[in-house]
Amino acid sequence: MCDSDHGPSIMGPSHRMFHSLIYTNNTSSATIALVDLWYDFPNGRNFNIIQNQLGKLLYDLEWDNGTSYYYTLDSNKECKALHFDVGVLRPDWLDSAEYLGREMMDWFDCNVWKKVDFITYYEDVVTKRPVHWVFFTQTFWFGRSAHVMTFEVGAVLEDEKWQAPVYCFEGKVEVTGRSGGIGSVTAEREYSKNGEERRGLRGLMGF
């Protein structure tokens, strides 16, 4: 079976829990960040620890019940709680992507897939690990790219690290499809051309 038949390996059952360090570049807002991502789909949770260049260290914690917390752990004790009508990004988020063939990216020989007017995804031919992805929708995520620095399948973050600070529970939870969050953390709900609703991929990229 060729790569065009089976699709990206990140959708496989072994990739439902992983840890990754990701360098992101948003050319539309001139924002660079290093994202420490913990994806734990079996337990219905996803965690992005985001260090913006010369900026705040932000925590983006989301649960499969649609609740997300954006907070800092500094003396300012900032937190914003949001609720979405969709949960953690599903492992099959690249389902039906079109295989484009092979291409060199970041000095890796990659298989490449494109999903509608949304994302181009690069996967190392040898290791099957993600290397790079680019968002190209003409909406909020336009100009966003991600370079995968490390990728550890099966890595687990201790349960106590998944607890938002107590001050996150002192205010009202905002029900939203899009929000400015705190700092530069934002979230949105997008609609593809065929009307399919999907959560903005901040959940997997720290956006």
Side-chain angles (χ1 to χ4, degrees):
M1 180 178 292
C2 67
D3 292 294
S4 59
D5 294 329
H6 66 63
S9 296
I10 198 171
M11 294 194 303
S14 63
H15 289 68
R16 298 193 170 199
M17 183 182 292
F18 62 80
H19 174 229
S20 185
L21 291 177
I22 303 171
Y23 165 84
T24 67
N25 183 14
N26 186 345
T27 56
S28 61
S29 65
T31 302
I32 294 174
L34 183 63
V35 179
D36 188 359
L37 166 64
W38 296 88
Y39 181 71
D40 186 357
F41 185 74
N43 291 303
R45 55 193 186 181
N46 189 74
F47 200 8
N48 293 288
I49 303 171
I50 307 164
Q51 178 61 66
N52 289 299
Q53 186 179 31
L54 300 179
K56 293 181 180 179
L57 180 62
L58 302 174
Y59 296 79
D60 171 11
L61 176 61
E62 61 180 87
W63 296 89
D64 205 34
N65 64 3
T67 303
S68 292
Y69 299 97
Y70 305 96
Y71 58 91
T72 67
L73 292 177
D74 57 20
S75 59
N76 291 328
K77 296 184 177 181
E78 298 176 77
C79 186
K80 188 165 190 176
L82 302 175
H83 184 79
F84 298 84
D85 56 3
V86 288
V88 172
L89 190 72
R90 297 300 185 254
D92 62 353
W93 61 281
L94 282 172
D95 187 34
S96 74
E98 176 189 3
Y99 182 67
L100 301 181
R102 290 166 66 162
E103 181 180 333
M104 292 298 295
M105 173 56 65
D106 293 343
W107 301 101
F108 290 90
D109 183 14
C110 295
N111 288 308
V112 185
W113 286 267
K114 176 182 177 181
K115 185 166 184 179
V116 294
D117 293 332
F118 182 41
I119 185 174
T120 301
Y121 176 85
Y122 298 79
E123 179 181 275
D124 182 25
V125 169
V126 177
T127 66
K128 307 302 181 184
R129 292 180 298 184
V131 171
H132 180 64
W133 45 73
V134 181
F135 291 98
F136 49 88
T137 59
Q138 299 297 321
T139 56
F140 183 79
W141 301 123
F142 180 76
R144 178 80 71 164
S145 66
H147 300 264
V148 179
M149 309 304 290
T150 66
F151 191 78
E152 306 169 85
V153 175
V156 178
L157 182 65
E158 300 90 339
D159 283 339
E160 57 268 24
K161 300 288 182 63
W162 293 90
Q163 179 61 55
V166 64
Y167 47 86
C168 285
F169 303 94
E170 296 173 348
K172 182 175 66 175
V173 175
E174 180 179 335
V175 179
T176 185
R178 175 183 293 187
S179 173
I182 58 176
S184 63
V185 178
T186 55
E188 78 165 12
R189 191 172 55 187
E190 292 188 348
Y191 293 84
S192 64
K193 289 182 178 179
N194 63 7
E196 177 188 1
E197 185 177 29
R198 61 174 179 257
R199 191 173 194 161
L201 284 186
R202 66 173 183 83
L204 196 54
M205 321 317 177
F207 295 167

